[in-house]
């Protein structure tokens, strides 16, 4: 075969392959659009914006025990090695994070075992910020849950019920931890409110904008011991709850997935 014939044959084959891939790409794009149009109920509901519910984590972030929750050691830097890499030493329960059932039970689900479908949830926000401004030890009560239902309707299945106490605004001050007289002082869920949510609703998670699901003064962690062993999970240290509606948003929880973990920092956001 002559040289020009070989060249033309190769060119024809390349054009044929290019046409094939172009057609395949167009098909994939069409499929993706179709998937988006008929995708999750959250997107079909018309969510138009996203709110970050996650605090930025560093060694100064307040922790329950008062010790730094994260240490970062730079092992490689761009100037010397042409890339950056940090080694992390991390307390699972620091920053905006998940409490897995295993955190307060002998054999509950670890964080990697939380069903992925539970990590996308209708968000229900119970606002006690005005009360918390007057009383740091206030709690979400069954009456607060009833008032939310009266105003917004039933709590949806698989919901995350979040306490908005306004405490996220104190994160850079000593008030966030509120330690005095051998106790901490900040709001949380009363155990009876947690039991009501367990027995009368389909909620699978509760969340707070404070350091603990229990209020700071708690000595027995009653809410932790009621909620987590039931197979449900908790979220602590949320922020921006003042920027989402009482009902109608969808919470997306980027939970960590380390095997056997009792929880861990998470990137969490709400679609509105």
């Amino acid at each position: 075969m002559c040289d020009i014939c070989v060249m033309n044959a190769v060119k024809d084959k390349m054009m044929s392959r290019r046409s094939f891939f172009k057609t395949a790409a167009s098909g994939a794009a069409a499929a993706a659009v179709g998937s988006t149009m008929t995708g999750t109920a959250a997107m079909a509901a018309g969510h138009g914006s996203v709110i970050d519910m996650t605090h930025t984590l560093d060694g100064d972030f307040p922790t329950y025990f008062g010790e730094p929750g994260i240490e970062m050691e730079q092992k490689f830097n761009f100037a010397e090695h042409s890339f950056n890499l940090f080694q992390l030493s991390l307390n699972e329960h620091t920053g905006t994070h998940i409490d897995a059932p295993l955190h307060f039970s002998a054999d509950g689900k670890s964080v990697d075992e939380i069903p992925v479908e539970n990590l996308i949830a209708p968000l229900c926000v119970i606002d006690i910020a005005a009360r918390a401004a007057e009383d740091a030890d206030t709690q979400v009560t069954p009456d607060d849950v009833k008032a939310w239902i009266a105003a917004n309707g039933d709590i949806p299945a698989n919901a995350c019920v979040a306490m908005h106490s306004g405490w996220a605004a104190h994160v850079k001050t000593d008030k966030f931890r509120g330690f005095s007289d051998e106790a901490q002082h900040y709001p949380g869920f009363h155990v009876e409110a947690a039991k009501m949510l367990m027995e009368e609703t389909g909620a699978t998670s509760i969340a707070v904008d404070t350091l603990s699901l229990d209020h700071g003064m708690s000595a027995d962690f009653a809410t932790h011991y009621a909620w987590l062993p039931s197979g449900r999970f908790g979220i602590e240290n949320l922020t921006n709850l003042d920027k989402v509606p009482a009902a109608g948003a969808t919470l997306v929880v980027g939970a960590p997935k380390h095997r056997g973990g009792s929880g861990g920092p998470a990137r969490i956001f709400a679609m509105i």
Side-chain angles (χ1 to χ4, degrees):
M1 183 181 290
C2 65
D3 291 344
I4 190 64
C5 294
V6 172
M7 292 173 63
N8 287 335
V10 171
K11 185 184 296 184
D12 290 343
K13 183 175 288 188
M14 291 178 64
M15 292 298 292
S16 177
R17 286 170 58 84
R18 187 176 301 169
S19 177
F20 170 79
F21 285 117
K22 184 175 181 180
T23 301
S26 298
V33 171
S35 175
T36 301
M37 294 298 289
T38 61
T40 67
M43 296 309 293
H47 295 77
S49 62
V50 179
I51 301 294
D52 193 353
M53 312 295 288
T54 315
H55 286 286
T56 298
L57 178 58
D58 60 29
D60 294 326
F61 195 91
T63 64
Y64 185 85
F65 295 106
E67 301 173 351
I70 184 172
E71 294 180 0
M72 298 174 59
E73 180 184 358
Q74 187 159 13
K75 293 290 189 177
F76 299 90
N77 64 78
F78 196 85
E80 295 181 54
H81 310 104
S82 297
F83 68 98
N84 292 305
L85 185 149
F86 292 84
Q87 181 168 299
L88 304 182
S89 176
L90 185 68
N91 180 321
E92 288 179 312
H93 298 273
T94 190
T96 302
H97 69 273
I98 304 295
D99 280 6
L102 181 63
H103 186 35
F104 270 73
S105 61
D107 56 0
K109 284 184 171 66
S110 56
V111 70
D112 57 300
E113 296 173 325
I114 296 174
V116 69
E117 58 268 23
N118 290 353
L119 300 176
I120 301 178
L123 179 60
C124 307
V125 181
I126 297 178
D127 188 345
I128 63 166
R131 200 163 76 226
E134 301 296 327
D135 179 11
D137 300 319
T138 192
Q139 300 177 74
V140 173
T141 67
D143 285 344
D144 292 317
V145 177
K146 292 175 185 177
W148 190 96
I149 293 172
N152 301 284
D154 290 341
I155 291 174
N158 196 45
C160 175
V161 179
M163 174 193 78
H164 169 45
S165 70
W167 230 247
H170 306 312
V171 72
K172 294 184 178 181
T173 73
D174 291 339
K175 186 172 182 176
F176 191 76
R177 193 162 175 262
F179 184 80
S180 66
D181 301 324
E182 300 183 356
Q184 299 178 49
H185 298 274
Y186 44 76
F189 274 87
H190 193 285
V191 64
E192 293 302 324
K195 289 179 178 178
M196 180 182 177
L197 291 172
M198 291 165 56
E199 295 167 0
E200 301 181 23
T201 79
T204 55
S205 59
I206 56 175
V208 295
D209 53 1
T210 59
L211 282 167
S212 176
L213 303 179
D214 288 273
H215 72 316
M217 289 184 66
S218 175
D220 58 6
F221 298 101
T223 297
H224 277 85
Y225 278 115
W227 187 261
L228 298 178
S230 73
R232 297 167 175 86
F233 68 95
I235 304 170
E236 294 170 339
N237 297 322
L238 279 183
T239 189
N240 289 332
L241 282 165
D242 57 330
K243 298 179 180 177
V244 297
T250 299
L251 197 69
V252 181
V253 182
K257 201 177 179 182
H258 54 296
R259 193 180 306 280
S262 70
R267 187 67 181 264
I268 300 174
F269 56 91
M271 298 187 297
I272 301 176

